[in-house]
Amino acid sequence: MNIKFSILLFLILASALPNISMAQSNRKITDFNQNWLFEQDDWIGLTTASQFSWKDSAWIPVQTPHCFNAKDTFDETPGYYRGYAWYRKYFRLAESEKGRIIKIHFGAIGNVSEIWVNEKYCGKSYLGFVPVEIDITDKINFDTDNLIAVRVQNLHDEEVPPGRWRMDYNVFGGIYREVTIITLPKTHLVKEELMVTTPEVSSGESVIKVSAGVLNENAGTVPVEIRCTLKDGAKTVASFSQQANIPENLTIHCNQLSAKIKDVKLWSPDEPNLYTLETALFQDGKQTDQLAVKVGFRKAEFDAEKGFILNGKPLKLRGLNRHQDYPGLGSAVPVRLQIQDAVIMKDLGANFVRCSHYPQHESFLDACDSLGLLVYEEAVSWQHIGGDEFMNHMNDMMAAMIRRDRNHPSIILWGMMNEGRSAKMFEMEGKTAQLLDPTRPVSYAENHIDVGIKEGTIFMPGVSGLNYMLEEYDQLHKDFPQLKLLNTECTNGDKSLIGDLPSQMKAAAMIKSDLDFLESREWMAGSCIWCFHDYASEYKPVRPIQTSGVVDIYRRYKEAAWMLKARWNSEPFIRIAGNWYFTGEEGSTREVTVWNNCDEVHLYLNGKEINGTGPVWKVACQPGELKAVGRKGNEAVEYVLRTPGKATGLQFVSKEKNLKNDGFDAIPLVVQLVDSKGNAVPQNGKQVTFSIDGPGRLAGIGGQTVVKTADGQAAMVVQSTGGSGKITVTAKCEGLKETNYIINTEN
């Protein structure tokens, strides 16, 4: 990752991390993640743990986000826990909150949840990838402790999406996204009903339209005024308002809010210009509530002949599919790492990401807005369609996903399904999407073109997504030239391993071949490689880790990533694939690949130029220095490999030095075998033992702290446990000098 994007990661992270007790006018949002109790057990049918009388003294103290599959995934033991678990939390509210609306908001609970507050049942959710929000106003005590109990299960159920038994990705369990408690005035803005559109977009003059939902839970009709302020940084560029009378116990949509803005800075992947829209609610001239969203002015279109068009210009979508898991953390991934994924994709030169195969963390989408990554977001699915109950759950998830995310300028497509088809379900989801967001088309990812044609489903969405089957695309376009086509998955080189250069080079070659095909078709909107990172899977052909990522589970770049960085970036870039380390190969010849985007490249071994023009040279195996020098325009770049000596020590290669002391923030640490001169030694199979001192914990696969090196590296996740002070991580390897890494904790 280059320094520009490291700085960008820091800036986005600083603005994205949640504040505790953040007040927005009379809307107060408070962190509710601390002091939970957890018990994992297969208590089918038992609900008495929701009662005050239940003994929880032996339960495990945890904080949310929490995933109960953090330690039993990514490991070599087949299977992972799919069953029931409980969370309980005691809490009090200040007397000042009396008379207000009180809600608890869960970012997501995987996969099915039931909630009780003070022994009163609050309902059940089957939507494990979108928020669960409950109104607890009439269940709260102000003179004693309150108890919230959450029963969670991730059991297989054909009627609960994703519904398939042997999944390519894991169905993690737990309260795995952030929890907040929200208090509101009785008449307030409804966040999910706020919709911002830009029906006219040009750099000369654009139009913004706002629909704001206002809910009145007071007795009688309440007159209000909604005032919208559009800001470019601190500068106000537009103000507009609407007055309305809100009847008792009704939500009224105020949609006469609009303005024309001159000299707009458009949003695009190259220039992701964002404005801030502040929508405030006034009663009797006093502000009582406010919401703020980011706004990007852009016009996104799909065309059957020109592919994808952004702001009037064709743009080839260069994409990666992304899951959301991390070793040692499961699906409970901190904001820092959510954002880092987007930063890495941008560093590789991608301009597009598919959220496969479920709605993902809001902070990841915020990062896509800020960095300029276009997004295809879809409801949870994989190759399975159940009965009416399943379809209704899918439709509910589609609705919840759109309500949560429709104001993100980065999103250009809503996905209805991955690798499955149902005309009945697609008609239902399509109508829901059109009702809630008529500005974006829907799609689904088809993996059997002939079946999609036969059943007619391939013609139903606004954009036809296609997984693999590249050899059929030309005929499909010829037979049905009216279809707007997008490749939603390609390549899937599922045996690409750190420490195994041939497997990485094979995967990189496969990706290059697919991109050469897809990027040469003007009518193809773009491509989306499977996939961004390696991820946990119990799917038999690949378990326990699907290794088709261009980066590994810790987001270390594989050769495919370096190939993409050379292919997709305009800034001069050069890198030699692999290493210049060998034993017993002296005198033989090795093929050396140089990833680059230069106008000319020269390769030198110990100062002598090797004949050839690349990108592949045949080079005699001789110890010393292998250097590639490239020139692009007036700029020169170079990359050097040196033959290392025997490993004598360890060296941390990570850059992150700070952790939030919130008990949840985490970073991956990577340690490298080095020789006496500090050269990397790419030796596989050496055992590295990690230990830690201070307010942090090691989150290794299966809870292990001993890691075997791959390409001379061993990785481990370090997570905050709360509290202040320095964290010291020590790495040891038998016969080598140990090394320490210091991490600072901060508020």
Side-chain angles (χ1 to χ4, degrees):
M1 200 187 318
N2 65 30
I3 189 168
K4 177 175 71 175
F5 286 109
S6 296
I7 294 170
L8 200 49
L9 170 62
F10 171 78
L11 293 174
I12 297 173
L13 184 62
S15 64
L17 288 171
N19 296 315
I20 296 177
S21 295
M22 180 180 68
Q24 297 179 330
S25 185
N26 271 1
R27 174 182 297 254
K28 187 165 71 172
I29 304 172
T30 305
D31 186 304
F32 202 63
N33 291 302
Q34 308 296 325
N35 303 318
W36 288 83
L37 297 171
F38 172 73
E39 175 78 352
Q40 180 173 301
D41 207 339
D42 199 15
W43 299 336
I44 298 175
L46 181 62
T47 59
T48 50
S50 64
Q51 299 173 7
F52 276 99
S53 60
W54 188 264
K55 302 299 183 183
D56 57 19
S57 58
W59 287 29
I60 301 170
V62 299
Q63 75 167 74
T64 55
H66 178 266
C67 174
F68 59 69
N69 297 118
K71 289 186 178 180
D72 62 359
T73 51
F74 293 90
D75 62 347
E76 294 294 335
T77 303
Y80 61 103
Y81 182 75
R82 299 194 70 171
Y84 285 85
W86 281 87
Y87 296 84
R88 284 163 59 100
K89 177 182 169 78
Y90 300 93
F91 65 100
R92 288 199 175 196
L93 289 178
E95 291 280 338
S96 59
E97 303 297 351
K98 274 188 176 180
R100 290 163 59 79
I101 302 301
I102 303 168
K103 297 183 178 184
I104 297 180
H105 180 94
F106 298 85
I109 309 174
N111 194 39
V112 178
S113 59
E114 295 177 273
I115 303 172
W116 292 259
V117 173
N118 292 334
E119 302 185 356
K120 297 173 184 176
Y121 190 59
C122 299
K124 189 172 188 176
S125 172
Y126 297 88
L127 311 180
F129 298 84
V130 290
V132 177
E133 188 170 280
I134 56 170
D135 188 328
I136 62 171
T137 307
D138 61 354
K139 300 176 178 66
I140 286 296
N141 301 315
F142 285 95
D143 54 355
T144 186
D145 278 346
N146 297 280
L147 170 67
I148 181 169
V150 184
R151 184 188 189 210
V152 183
Q153 57 98 338
N154 63 341
L155 290 163
H156 169 251
D157 186 333
E158 291 188 355
E159 294 304 310
V160 177
R164 195 181 192 274
W165 172 232
R166 289 297 180 187
M167 294 286 295
D168 175 57
Y169 57 96
N170 292 344
V171 182
F172 294 94
I175 303 175
Y176 69 93
R177 290 185 189 155
E178 291 78 3
V179 188
T180 55
I181 190 163
I182 305 169
T183 61
L184 301 157
K186 285 194 172 181
T187 301
H188 55 269
L189 296 163
V190 182
K191 182 181 178 182
E192 294 75 17
E193 299 300 330
L194 180 68
M195 182 175 180
V196 183
T197 59
T198 54
E200 298 177 29
V201 174
S202 74
S203 56
E205 182 178 88
S206 294
V207 173
I208 184 171
K209 286 192 68 176
V210 179
S211 177
V214 183
L215 173 60
N216 174 25
E217 298 188 66
N218 280 292
T221 298
V222 175
V224 300
E225 181 182 11
I226 302 96
R227 298 180 190 173
C228 294
T229 305
L230 187 69
K231 293 184 176 181
D232 180 7
K235 178 185 176 184
T236 297
V237 296
S239 298
F240 45 102
S241 63
Q242 178 184 346
Q243 294 182 340
N245 293 314
I246 314 299
E248 179 180 342
N249 292 324
L250 281 178
T251 299
I252 297 298
H253 292 87
C254 302
N255 51 22
Q256 303 302 312
L257 295 156
S258 66
K260 293 182 178 179
I261 302 101
K262 295 186 180 295
D263 302 320
V264 166
K265 293 182 287 187
L266 301 184
W267 186 97
S268 71
D270 290 335
E271 296 182 83
N273 298 302
L274 290 173
Y275 295 77
T276 301
L277 177 76
E278 297 174 352
T279 302
L281 184 69
F282 286 79
Q283 294 174 243
D284 299 324
K286 296 180 180 179
Q287 182 175 312
T288 59
D289 197 10
Q290 178 176 300
L291 292 170
V293 296
K294 296 295 184 182
V295 176
F297 289 86
R298 92 290 185 276
K299 185 177 182 181
E301 305 168 272
F302 287 86
D303 185 88
E305 288 299 327
K306 296 181 181 178
F308 179 68
I309 301 169
L310 186 67
N311 300 331
K313 299 177 181 179
L315 176 68
K316 191 66 73 176
L317 296 173
R318 305 187 302 263
L320 296 153
N321 283 268
R322 184 213 185 222
H323 275 302
Q324 66 176 11
D325 59 7
Y326 224 95
L329 304 173
S331 57
V333 179
V335 167
R336 174 197 302 271
L337 300 180
Q338 301 280 354
I339 295 170
Q340 188 181 70
D341 277 2
V343 171
I344 293 172
M345 289 184 195
K346 192 70 176 181
D347 183 53
L348 297 183
N351 60 20
F352 179 54
V353 56
R354 178 174 172 230
C355 296
S356 49
H357 302 292
Y358 39 77
Q360 297 186 8
H361 200 291
E362 287 179 275
S363 63
F364 176 73
L365 298 175
D366 290 340
C368 291
D369 292 340
S370 298
L371 291 166
L373 281 168
L374 296 154
V375 177
Y376 174 127
E377 190 175 31
E378 66 188 352
V380 63
S381 55
W382 195 59
Q383 296 184 352
H384 171 84
I385 298 172
D388 288 346
E389 185 181 353
F390 178 93
M391 294 183 189
N392 288 332
H393 291 325
M394 286 289 286
N395 191 53
D396 290 345
M397 186 176 298
M398 174 71 74
M401 174 178 72
I402 293 173
R403 284 194 175 98
R404 189 194 73 167
D405 295 333
R406 59 188 168 185
N407 294 320
H408 287 280
S410 56
I411 295 178
I412 55 173
L413 280 168
W414 302 118
M416 300 185 292
M417 178 76 196
N418 178 60
E419 296 190 347
R421 64 211 61 78
S422 165
K424 179 180 177 180
M425 188 174 75
F426 290 169
E427 183 177 7
M428 187 188 306
E429 289 181 286
K431 286 180 179 178
T432 295
Q434 178 66 22
L435 176 67
L436 296 176
D437 180 17
T439 71
R440 294 177 177 91
V442 296
S443 184
Y444 83 96
E446 178 59 78
N447 63 329
H448 292 292
I449 289 174
D450 56 338
V451 180
I453 293 172
K454 182 179 179 181
E455 297 187 9
T457 51
I458 202 168
F459 308 108
M460 294 184 70
V463 177
S464 300
L466 305 173
N467 284 3
Y468 313 106
M469 305 173 297
L470 273 61
E471 68 280 1
E472 300 181 33
Y473 290 6
D474 287 343
Q475 190 64 46
L476 178 65
H477 177 62
K478 181 180 179 182
D479 292 343
F480 304 102
Q482 78 278 14
L483 291 180
K484 301 170 184 177
L485 301 177
L486 168 69
N487 169 258
T488 38
E489 289 181 31
C490 67
T491 310
N492 198 352
D494 61 6
K495 295 293 181 185
S496 174
L497 304 170
I498 297 284
D500 181 359
L501 183 60
S503 71
Q504 292 185 58
M505 297 302 291
K506 181 180 178 181
M510 290 170 63
I511 293 172
K512 180 184 182 302
S513 176
D514 284 358
L515 294 185
D516 287 347
F517 175 92
L518 291 164
E519 292 177 355
S520 67
R521 269 68 178 168
E522 184 180 3
W523 39 266
M524 181 63 63
S527 55
C528 209
I529 297 163
W530 192 267
C531 57
F532 169 53
H533 64 88
D534 294 349
Y535 56 93
S537 174
E538 286 298 321
Y539 191 48
K540 257 191 173 180
V542 299
R543 73 154 316 277
I545 298 172
Q546 163 63 281
T547 57
S548 56
V550 302
V551 299
D552 80 340
I553 53 176
Y554 296 101
R555 281 48 169 185
R556 292 177 291 181
Y557 288 25
K558 302 181 192 177
E559 293 301 334
W562 298 119
M563 183 273 291
L564 291 175
K565 189 171 171 67
R567 183 185 185 103
W568 282 349
N569 280 278
S570 58
E571 295 179 359
F573 175 79
I574 195 166
R575 183 182 175 91
I576 303 171
N579 57 69
W580 199 238
Y581 173 70
F582 39 82
T583 55
E585 296 182 56
E586 290 85 347
S588 63
T589 300
R590 181 187 292 185
E591 286 192 345
V592 173
T593 299
V594 180
W595 307 121
N596 73 94
N597 59 3
C598 300
D599 301 325
E600 60 177 276
V601 176
H602 302 275
L603 188 65
Y604 301 88
L605 177 58
N606 295 326
K608 183 178 179 181
E609 184 169 2
I610 309 299
N611 291 331
T613 57
V616 180
W617 280 262
K618 290 188 180 298
V619 185
C621 292
Q622 298 176 11
E625 179 183 273
L626 187 66
K627 180 167 70 173
V629 178
R631 180 170 293 278
K632 186 174 185 180
N634 294 323
E635 293 188 62
V637 287
E638 67 175 46
Y639 186 82
V640 177
L641 288 176
R642 294 182 178 89
T643 305
K646 183 180 178 181
T648 58
L650 296 163
Q651 180 177 299
F652 280 99
V653 296
S654 303
K655 303 298 181 186
E656 297 287 345
K657 286 287 189 178
N658 299 299
L659 266 183
K660 299 289 288 186
N661 62 357
D662 59 1
F664 181 58
D665 194 19
I667 56 175
L669 293 185
V670 178
V671 69
Q672 173 75 56
L673 300 176
V674 293
D675 67 10
S676 60
K677 297 180 179 179
N679 295 313
V681 181
Q683 188 175 349
N684 294 336
K686 298 284 285 184
Q687 286 196 340
V688 176
T689 301
F690 291 88
S691 59
I692 191 167
D693 181 63
R697 72 178 186 93
L698 298 174
I701 294 174
Q704 297 298 309
T705 56
V706 179
V707 182
K708 288 185 178 180
T709 60
D711 212 22
Q713 293 186 343
M716 177 65 62
V717 171
V718 176
Q719 187 168 38
S720 163
T721 56
S724 58
K726 293 186 182 297
I727 297 170
T728 302
V729 179
T730 302
K732 299 179 181 179
C733 184
E734 186 177 353
L736 304 182
K737 185 179 179 181
E738 67 179 55
T739 187
N740 295 324
Y741 193 83
I742 306 298
I743 302 170
N744 300 307
T745 59
E746 55 185 16
N747 293 325

